[in-house]
Amino acid sequence: MAHDPGPPLEQWPGLAPQMPAASADSTPAEAAASLPARLVQTGPFGLDECRLVLVPGRRGSDALASIGWSAKASLPLLCALLRSWEDRFGAQTVAVFGSELHVSVARPPVDAEQANLLALEHVLSTADNIVDDPPTPFPEYAAGLVGRTNWTFWWD
């Protein structure tokens, strides 16, 4: 594989902009409701291995901290990122399997510039699937975020 030049920036450019809701967009609740069926159909885990857990909290981004979820991620940083993504992209924490996190996205980035900024934020999550495994070059990872309605993170 060719050497990954990493993010194409010299300094932190700031957060990706909030994606405005369009009338054709699904709501965060609709996007979250559709993700479990996709996970069961396409993911490595079958329905018999899933457990439904309702977590009390004001926001879905607080769920991981509420349950004391642990992975090789900084939980305070991850929860802050999730809260910010919830506000800006209609993102919702939908599922965790071991140290794997699945997030639905109602308003994903619509162009390369927005996706590049968001990809930098994903790097901050320290998720192994973004920074180590598989070694996806940054430009390719960022381009894959355009229009993508679910994000997956895992830590080995």
Side-chain angles (χ1 to χ4, degrees):
M1 174 180 285
H3 172 71
D4 178 11
L9 304 162
E10 294 290 322
Q11 60 185 16
W12 176 252
L15 298 174
Q18 179 170 333
M19 296 289 95
S23 60
D25 290 341
S26 59
T27 66
E30 291 167 339
S34 68
L35 184 55
R38 276 190 279 159
L39 292 173
V40 169
Q41 292 170 352
T42 62
F45 304 100
L47 190 57
D48 59 327
E49 294 155 342
C50 295
R51 303 293 180 262
L52 176 64
V53 178
L54 298 176
V55 179
R58 292 184 182 180
R59 299 168 63 134
S61 55
D62 299 334
L64 298 178
S66 294
I67 65 172
W69 185 70
S70 64
K72 290 184 181 178
S74 166
L75 192 55
L77 172 65
L78 185 59
C79 289
L81 286 168
L82 288 167
R83 183 173 279 242
S84 182
W85 296 335
E86 188 176 303
D87 291 339
R88 292 180 290 133
F89 301 100
Q92 294 290 312
T93 301
V94 172
V96 292
F97 298 107
S99 57
E100 188 173 309
L101 169 66
H102 296 272
V103 178
S104 65
V105 185
R107 299 180 310 274
V110 296
D111 66 35
E113 182 179 345
Q114 296 162 344
N116 276 335
L117 293 173
L118 177 61
L120 287 171
E121 295 177 41
H122 282 201
V123 168
L124 291 176
S125 75
T126 70
D128 289 329
N129 64 307
I130 297 165
V131 297
D132 289 330
D133 178 30
T136 305
F138 183 86
E140 185 179 320
Y141 180 79
L145 292 174
V146 174
R148 191 161 157 202
T149 58
N150 66 297
W151 303 333
T152 300
F153 305 90
W154 70 77
W155 295 263
D156 290 328

